[in-house]
Amino acid sequence: MSRSPLPVLLPLSLLLGACTLTDASSATPVWQDDFSGTSLDTSKWSYQTGNGFTAGTDYVAGWGNNELEYYTDRASNVSVQGGTLVITARREKMTGPAGRTTGTFDWTSGRIRTAGKFSRAYGKFEIRAKFPRGKGFWPAIWMLPEEPSPYASWAANGEIDIAEGWGSKPTEVAHTIHYGGVWPNNVYAGKTATYPNAGSMDQWHTYTLQWTPGKIQWLIDGQITSEKTQWWSANKNPPSSDADLNAWPAPFDKPFYLLLNLAVGGNFDGNPDATTPDQGQMLVDYVRVYGMQTETGSAGPRPDMTYPWTPKPARPALSDGNLVYNGSFDWSDTDPRVTPDTTSLSGAANSRFWTLYTSDGQVTLSNDAGALKADVTNAGSVNYAVQVRQDGLNIESGGRYEVSFDAWAQSARPMMLKVGGGQDRGYAAYSGEQTVQLSTTKERKTVTFDMKATTDAAARLEFNLGNAGTGPVWFDNVVVRRVGTAAGARPPAADGNLLYNAAFTQDATATIPGIAGVPGSAYWTTWSNVPERLTTGVSGGVITLNVRDVDPANNWHVQLNQTEVPLTAGKSYTLTFKGRASDAREVAVVIGENGGSYARYLDGKAALGPTEQTFTYTFTAPVTNPAAQFQLLGAVGAAGSSYGLSFRDFRLVQNP
């Protein structure tokens, strides 16, 4: 169960067949809990409570995943009944500590672990369990390394997710490992398995992990559903070469402990909706761990793997410098640059080199007036729910790039544009996630960005059409080309402030971004998932966000942002500002990665009220990022409520 802030994007389902373990007969019991008592056996398990964890000196709310629940040690959330562990998620108000403040939460649930009481490297881990259905329910059986680990911290020290269920996808279950560098330079690999024999999550199943040196296998009801034999762990952050690797098979060669929990909401299955029951239960019949003869064998040599720094064959640019192939959607299948493995879009002719990805969205693709027509019939819940993209762009470190294309829509709407990495780059956003407004007339759109990450010969151009309305959108004449050399990190302002135009006195220009139609907003931007619900004004050095009919599914549905903020790994920073709200509102205060995993270096809260207050935060940057992002996230309160947020005197400085 990842503590990564960004949603987990897993590949398509893969069921490896009705294979069974060959080593089962040699398994020797080493630990078990059959839940035969009348309450949780605290000699084997301990409770985790609250709505987050502490990373260094900073409190990470929502367990790093924007989860809604508050975990308790109450019998109403964790109990043992008739030989079964019962973890119950309830829709009820709970007020409790949340870092240095107190918060009120709409759900309670339970989370238990064997940390400090039982952990093991290698073996067969078997859990018989039953998961609840319902949008937003996130049951998990997983493992983390016993502390202290010799491999720094998450996820260089690893994580094994034995089974994670989407409450809204009852026929599927996720098996995942997290590894690589220390967050935010971590990666993951996973499979989405389909339950054998047309099963579903709300039936009893036996989930098994067989872990031996150099190999991890997952089984459901005795059938192998996934296998991993490749991973890595780095001892430097960020890692940049093979010399930074820990010895194979790190990190999965040290003791891990078990966790069982039922989360609610967050990045995995989204938040509950009107169809979600007020109560969900995760039932566990037993947890059994066995030793196996094969766990004493050798892991063998390190397998061939692709790392973020591994050079990849670069696809050459076209004669005009365009890195996009078939950007006008007019290359025939007989074009000499088309090979048998070249992708294409179902329903659209002359669409070689393009790819479609959908999560919970739907789209119909076709050709129209020489352009690609994407008719979105279900917008889905996230911007990448409908994604038209091209892979294989060679984006070089230190280059400045321009993305341009013709686009229009049946109805005016936004879309999200991104040039970034694939899974082995943690879906990093080299361009940031750029909101582009489309009108009903054909217009040329242009976005420029500096490539400040390691060269990526397999970068992706994404047109993300999800979560922003339905109807047709057209694209044509798509170009991505290098136009110069990237600028260095932005220097502090004359007074040492790393935030530009903190007094809101500077107007936007053609080269300096700002909020459309708002004088004095240079370097600042706002965003709302429904643009007409947010209006912004600047007066007397104060910026005011007027929110109407809020969608509170995630607090990031209303944003005030400034990008290109330079940070240095290991340095301490202090942020201050003054703020108030028309009534009591707790907004999120974030400094972190702009795109990709959206890793948060500062993840704070500001409890605003009608009286203006000064807010102060101190944090240490975990990585060097010359283009970090400052955000205030203000979609808060009951659905449909309206309010105003006002801020001034922003200041971010590096401490001596």
Side-chain angles (χ1 to χ4, degrees):
M1 183 165 181
S2 169
R3 293 184 295 175
S4 167
L6 258 261
V8 174
L9 306 179
L10 294 173
L12 297 175
S13 298
L14 177 60
L15 186 61
L16 298 182
C19 304
T20 57
L21 286 176
T22 59
D23 199 51
S25 61
S26 61
T28 303
V30 296
W31 187 91
Q32 70 182 58
D33 192 345
D34 293 329
F35 303 106
S36 56
T38 58
S39 61
L40 187 70
D41 186 346
T42 54
S43 71
K44 297 179 178 179
W45 303 91
S46 58
Y47 298 92
Q48 282 190 284
T49 60
N51 179 254
F53 64 97
T54 300
T57 59
D58 297 317
Y59 181 74
V60 181
W63 301 97
N65 300 304
N66 293 312
E67 297 168 37
L68 304 179
E69 79 290 330
Y70 194 91
Y71 290 126
T72 84
D73 58 2
R74 304 178 308 172
S76 58
N77 294 118
V78 180
S79 63
V80 175
Q81 304 174 26
T84 301
L85 171 70
V86 182
I87 299 179
T88 305
R90 300 177 182 275
R91 192 193 302 264
E92 61 176 338
K93 295 290 186 182
M94 169 63 72
T95 299
R100 292 181 290 271
T101 64
T102 298
T104 299
F105 305 89
D106 293 330
W107 288 83
T108 63
S109 190
R111 170 167 163 155
I112 61 174
R113 61 179 183 168
T114 65
K117 301 181 179 184
F118 172 77
S119 59
R120 198 171 198 275
Y122 307 132
K124 176 185 174 184
F125 300 77
E126 185 177 282
I127 302 94
R128 186 169 185 262
K130 182 178 180 181
F131 294 158
R133 291 191 190 217
K135 173 67 174 174
F137 287 147
W138 180 3
I141 303 167
W142 53 305
M143 303 176 73
L144 284 174
E146 191 68 82
E147 298 292 348
S149 170
Y151 303 132
S153 59
W154 194 84
N157 59 2
E159 175 183 324
I160 303 173
D161 299 327
I162 299 175
E164 294 181 280
W166 294 271
S168 65
K169 302 177 184 179
T171 63
E172 299 177 359
V173 63
H175 308 312
T176 312
I177 52 175
H178 298 259
Y179 55 94
V182 173
W183 172 84
N185 295 291
N186 53 288
V187 294
Y188 67 87
K191 296 293 183 188
T192 301
T194 302
Y195 282 98
N197 304 316
S200 60
M201 67 189 304
D202 55 347
Q203 300 168 334
W204 284 104
H205 296 283
T206 301
Y207 301 95
T208 303
L209 183 87
Q210 178 170 282
W211 173 19
T212 55
K215 180 187 291 186
I216 300 175
Q217 289 181 317
W218 290 258
L219 296 91
I220 300 177
D221 299 335
Q223 297 187 18
I224 297 177
T225 47
S226 185
E227 178 178 294
K228 293 297 178 189
T229 58
Q230 296 182 345
W231 55 76
W232 54 276
S233 170
N235 54 36
K236 181 180 178 182
N237 196 43
S240 59
S241 72
D242 291 7
D244 298 330
L245 293 171
N246 291 311
W248 169 255
F252 301 116
D253 60 346
K254 302 299 179 186
F256 277 56
Y257 62 83
L258 284 154
L259 298 98
L260 305 173
N261 69 283
L262 176 54
V264 182
N267 300 338
F268 192 69
D269 194 43
N271 289 344
D273 59 20
T275 68
T276 307
D278 289 341
Q279 175 177 299
Q281 289 187 328
M282 173 180 171
L283 308 181
V284 182
D285 183 19
Y286 61 78
V287 179
R288 297 171 183 169
V289 182
Y290 304 84
M292 298 186 304
Q293 291 180 357
T294 52
E295 70 183 53
T296 60
S298 169
R302 183 186 296 275
D304 291 334
M305 286 178 277
T306 298
Y307 307 101
W309 56 87
T310 301
K312 299 180 179 69
R315 188 177 75 185
L318 300 176
S319 58
D320 62 354
N322 192 1
L323 297 171
V324 174
Y325 279 30
N326 192 21
S328 297
F329 303 98
D330 55 6
W331 288 18
S332 71
D333 288 351
T334 60
D335 188 287
R337 290 160 292 195
V338 172
T339 60
D341 61 347
T342 304
T343 60
S344 62
L345 302 173
S346 177
N350 301 329
S351 61
R352 291 288 189 168
F353 295 96
W354 291 90
T355 298
L356 173 68
Y357 171 81
T358 58
S359 57
D360 59 344
Q362 294 179 327
V363 64
T364 300
L365 301 172
S366 61
N367 304 95
D368 185 36
L372 175 69
K373 179 181 178 182
D375 189 357
V376 180
T377 55
N378 180 352
S381 60
V382 289
N383 56 28
Y384 55 84
V386 176
Q387 180 186 90
V388 177
R389 73 171 195 262
Q390 184 165 141
D391 301 346
L393 281 64
N394 183 30
I395 305 296
E396 298 174 317
S397 181
R400 173 166 291 175
Y401 289 85
E402 180 183 271
V403 183
S404 61
F405 56 97
D406 296 330
W408 65 102
Q410 185 178 70
S411 301
R413 53 160 291 157
M415 60 162 276
M416 189 271 277
L417 178 144
K418 170 184 163 185
V419 176
Q423 180 173 324
D424 65 345
R425 292 296 188 98
Y427 300 102
Y430 308 139
S431 63
E433 293 191 353
Q434 303 289 335
T435 299
V436 177
Q437 298 292 334
L438 305 182
S439 70
T440 57
T441 58
K442 182 177 180 179
E443 295 177 340
R444 190 73 180 166
K445 301 294 182 180
T446 301
V447 171
T448 302
F449 70 95
D450 289 345
M451 178 59 168
K452 297 179 179 178
T454 304
T455 294
D456 188 351
R460 308 152 30 133
L461 168 66
E462 302 175 5
F463 295 138
N464 292 288
L465 303 172
N467 195 29
T470 58
V473 178
W474 289 263
F475 298 102
D476 201 4
N477 302 318
V478 183
V479 176
V480 177
R481 62 164 57 96
R482 182 167 179 161
V483 293
T485 301
R490 188 176 78 180
D495 63 352
N497 196 349
L498 295 173
L499 296 174
Y500 279 23
N501 190 26
F504 298 100
T505 57
Q506 186 176 351
D507 293 341
T509 67
T511 58
I512 299 174
I515 303 168
V518 180
S521 65
Y523 295 100
W524 296 90
T525 61
T526 55
W527 183 84
S528 173
N529 63 318
V530 183
E532 58 269 24
R533 290 177 175 170
L534 175 64
T535 57
T536 306
V538 168
S539 178
V542 177
I543 186 167
T544 299
L545 281 63
N546 292 306
V547 183
R548 178 177 60 84
D549 191 22
V550 69
D551 175 0
N554 291 288
N555 58 12
W556 44 263
H557 281 171
V558 171
Q559 302 177 12
L560 173 65
N561 305 321
Q562 185 169 143
T563 60
E564 302 299 317
V565 179
L567 301 176
T568 302
K571 297 296 185 181
S572 172
Y573 296 86
T574 296
L575 168 72
T576 59
F577 62 87
K578 295 178 180 178
R580 63 180 181 85
S582 55
D583 54 15
R585 303 278 165 176
E586 185 179 73
V587 302
V589 182
V590 175
I591 296 177
E593 182 180 355
N594 179 17
S597 69
Y598 279 97
R600 296 183 176 187
Y601 317 144
L602 166 66
D603 190 4
K605 301 288 186 182
L608 306 176
T611 301
E612 184 179 78
Q613 302 175 64
T614 299
F615 298 89
T616 302
Y617 310 83
T618 299
F619 69 100
T620 299
V623 296
T624 295
N625 187 344
Q629 177 172 226
F630 166 66
Q631 297 182 292
L632 292 173
L633 309 179
V636 292
S641 62
S642 301
Y643 51 91
L645 308 173
S646 297
F647 306 97
R648 67 183 176 97
D649 296 346
F650 289 100
R651 185 168 178 80
L652 175 65
V653 295
Q654 180 179 316
N655 297 320

